[in-house]
Amino acid sequence: MIDGVAAACVAASLALQPDMGLLEPERVPPAWLNQHPMITRLMELQNEERARYGLPPLRYNAKMTAAAQKHASWMADTGYYTHSGLPWPEIIHSGPQTPEGAVQGWIYSPSHHGIMLSGSQAGFGYAKRNGVAYWVTVIE
């Protein structure tokens, strides 16, 4: 039998595992999400960067966006900054207050920039709590 302290530790451990339940195939993001100005600007900026390299724009993927948004919200809610464990290459950022700041940070990081220039479809997430912004892009 698990005592109260052990049960609390197990619950806390599960709460810190961001991939738990993030990928729900039937989940579609609410309509407002694909029209949210932060999400649309994030996609625009990444597509502008891809165009500089002669690459086609990323296509918006609703399932990937639902997962990316869920992870961004999870990081904001918990304050725990980590990759999600989703089945796609992922770039995350915490701190910049604008999509421009987030994308610029990814451009300056060779590994993140490489992910941004890969794939053909993507999902995007953004959340802000206590003045801290969290940004997520997943690409396939």
Side-chain angles (χ1 to χ4, degrees), residues 10 12 24-25 30 32 60 70 73 77 85 87 103 111 113 130 136 138:
V10 168
E24 300 169 9
W32 63 263
Y60 176 87
K70 188 168 182 177
S73 295
D77 290 343
V103 171
S111 61
H113 191 238
N130 300 321
V136 177
V138 291

Side-chain angles (χ1 to χ4, degrees), residues 46-124:
Q46 291 183 57
N47 281 333
E48 288 172 13
E49 180 65 10
R50 290 170 61 87
R52 289 185 42 209
Y53 289 84
L55 298 170
L58 292 166
R59 289 185 320 274
Y60 176 87
N61 180 296
K63 176 182 169 183
M64 293 169 76
T65 294
Q69 181 59 44
K70 188 168 182 177
H71 184 57
S73 295
W74 177 86
M75 288 191 295
D77 290 343
T78 64
Y80 194 67
Y81 178 69
T82 186
H83 287 280
S84 65
L86 289 167
W88 308 290
E90 172 187 64
I91 49 180
I92 62 175
H93 211 325
S94 173
Q97 297 299 304
T98 64
E100 291 81 4
V103 171
Q104 200 62 42
W106 291 329
I107 289 170
Y108 288 143
S109 166
S111 61
H112 292 99
H113 191 238
I115 293 171
M116 187 188 307
L117 298 178
S118 70
S120 61
Q121 57 184 337
F124 308 91

Side-chain angles (χ1 to χ4, degrees), residues 31-44:
W32 63 263
L33 184 58
N34 66 357
Q35 299 170 6
H36 191 282
M38 294 294 195
I39 299 296
T40 58
R41 187 67 179 141
L42 201 59
M43 186 171 179
E44 288 169 3

